[in-house]
């Protein structure tokens, strides 16, 4: 099977308000898919429908081929879900929470205890296994919630802002767990507002106002903004624009300290930059430096979201 998640025409209305608007989304088996978008974009609503916790107004959802919500009982066996808000029992211990949810999934006896011990070790929770969940630190709570989501060895993990509000080292450690699980074959759909985390995803879907406005690998999305890779070339001396603009797609030309700073777009910098440098050299121009400019995903998203809003308002952009 190629796709773990196949969503088409998915729509959710709350009264007149359209929270999810004709959404098409596909997540491949084995990938880490980052589901991103500003507050209120409709990510949690989509996830709740995907997990069969809320019925769609329209559209189809297939998870590993199962129709949702009709085949929700099959879905539960293969999916682990971590909700946006901590939803475990604060007055049960770490161990008891895992035991409780394990039994809900039909595990019991030595099989269940073995699985809990495995997860306690994997998530570094052995030392706090008897602590009440309500008394755990933020980072430990996230790990426990992940442990509970993993108790029945799901093929698909759905994580709604698993790292919200936890500090950077803990977020990094959490992603190590995710990568480990992914290596072993678990497909992961994860939402986050942290762009450094989004960089770790194989592919990203960006949602705004109920719609998917962009989709692709982090690299593809960065290229989409400028139509290629952005490169900064510094030439010695003040070079007149018309000397170079004839053959280069120069986005920006500035003079600084007797040098000429060009920003230009190449379809694929790794392939085209060497021949460009040769050409500049053959024209007698001295290249001081030539560096690709790293565009951050944060810039990409601000740009894409702004563009999509301008489009909705019918403005030129
Ligand atoms: N049960 C509901 N009744 C009415 N409106 C709702 C309901 N649930 C969500 N909404 C609205 O739907 C929109 C999408 O909400 P959703 O929680 O899916 O966004 P989100 O992308 O998860 O945002 P965040 O990043 O803040 O978690 C919001 O405007 C929200 O207020
Ligand atoms: Mg949400």
């Amino acid at each position: 099977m190629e796709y773990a998640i196949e969503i088409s025409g998915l729509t959710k209305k709350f009264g007149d308000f359209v929270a999810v608007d004709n959404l098409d989304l596909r997540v491949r088996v084995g990938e880490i898919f980052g589901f991103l978008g500003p507050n209120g974009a409709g990510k949690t609503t989509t996830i709740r429908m995907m997990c069969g916790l809320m019925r769609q107004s329209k559209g189809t959802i297939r998870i590993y081929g199962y129709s949702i919500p009709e085949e929700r009982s099959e879905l539960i066996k293969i999916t682990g879900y971590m909700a946006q808000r901590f939803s475990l029992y604060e007055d049960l211990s770490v161990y008891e929470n895992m035991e409780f949810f394990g039994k809900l999934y039909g595990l019991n006896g030595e099989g269940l205890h073995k699985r809990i011990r495995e997860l306690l070790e994997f998530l570094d929770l052995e030392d706090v296994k008897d602590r009440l969940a309500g008394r755990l630190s933020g980072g430990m709570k996230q790990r426990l919630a992940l442990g509970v989501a993993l108790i029945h060895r799901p093929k698909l993990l759905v994580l709604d802002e698993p790292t919200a509000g936890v500090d950077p080292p803990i977020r990094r450690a959490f992603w190590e767990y995710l990568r480990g699980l992914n290596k072993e074959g678990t497909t992961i759909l994860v939402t986050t507002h942290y762009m450094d985390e989004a960089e770790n995803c194989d592919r990203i879907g960006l949602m705004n106002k109920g719609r998917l406005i962009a989709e692709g690998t982090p690299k593809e999305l960065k290229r989409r903004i400028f139509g290629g890779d952005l490169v900064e070339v510094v030439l010695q001396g003040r070079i007149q624009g018309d000397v170079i603009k004839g053959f280069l797609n120069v986005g920006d030309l500035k003079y600084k300290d007797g040098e000429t700073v060009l920003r230009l777009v190449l379809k694929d910098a790794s392939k085209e930059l060497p021949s460009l440098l040769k050409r500049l050299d053959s024209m007698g121009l001295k290249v001081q430096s030539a560096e690709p400019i790293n565009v951050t995903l944060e810039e990409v998203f601000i740009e894409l979201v702004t563009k999509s809003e301008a489009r909705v308002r019918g403005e030129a952009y």
Side-chain angles (χ1 to χ4, degrees), residues 44 84 160-161:
T44 298
Q84 186 165 354
D160 197 355
E161 290 194 43

Side-chain angles (χ1 to χ4, degrees), residues 14 17-20 37-46 54 84 160-161 193 207:
F14 297 112
F17 177 72
V18 186
V20 176
N39 291 130
K43 306 178 297 293
T44 298
T45 306
T46 302
M54 182 191 269
Q84 186 165 354
D160 197 355
E161 290 194 43
H193 287 287
M207 213 178 165

Side-chain angles (χ1 to χ4, degrees), residues 71-104:
E71 294 175 283
R72 183 169 180 262
S73 54
E74 295 301 317
L75 167 88
I76 289 170
K77 294 180 201 160
I78 54 166
T79 316
Y81 166 57
M82 188 170 153
Q84 186 165 354
R85 274 201 237 128
F86 187 70
S87 53
L88 305 179
Y89 292 103
E90 305 229 334
D91 51 359
L92 291 184
S93 72
V94 167
Y95 197 95
E96 288 163 343
N97 264 293
M98 289 191 166
E99 197 173 28
F100 178 83
F101 285 96
K103 283 181 178 163
L104 276 189

Side-chain angles (χ1 to χ4, degrees), residues 30-45:
E31 75 181 351
I32 302 186
F33 187 87
F35 194 30
L36 311 183
N39 291 130
K43 306 178 297 293
T44 298
T45 306

Side-chain angles (χ1 to χ4, degrees), residues 33 204-207 211-216 221 224 301 304:
F33 187 87
I204 287 170
L206 177 61
M207 213 178 165
R211 295 182 176 199
L212 195 72
I213 59 169
E215 196 182 349
L221 292 180
R224 186 172 307 177
F301 290 160
L304 289 172

Side-chain angles (χ1 to χ4, degrees), residues 174-212:
F174 191 87
W175 271 86
E176 289 299 319
Y177 296 123
L178 294 190
R179 269 191 289 269
L181 289 164
N182 181 248
K183 263 207 195 105
E184 287 165 21
T186 312
T187 305
I188 300 177
L189 178 135
V190 57
T191 77
T192 178
H193 287 287
Y194 299 108
M195 290 305 136
D196 57 331
E197 294 186 351
E199 296 272 2
N200 287 321
C201 297
D202 298 315
R203 282 197 315 127
I204 287 170
L206 177 61
M207 213 178 165
N208 190 34
K209 303 214 163 136
R211 295 182 176 199
L212 195 72

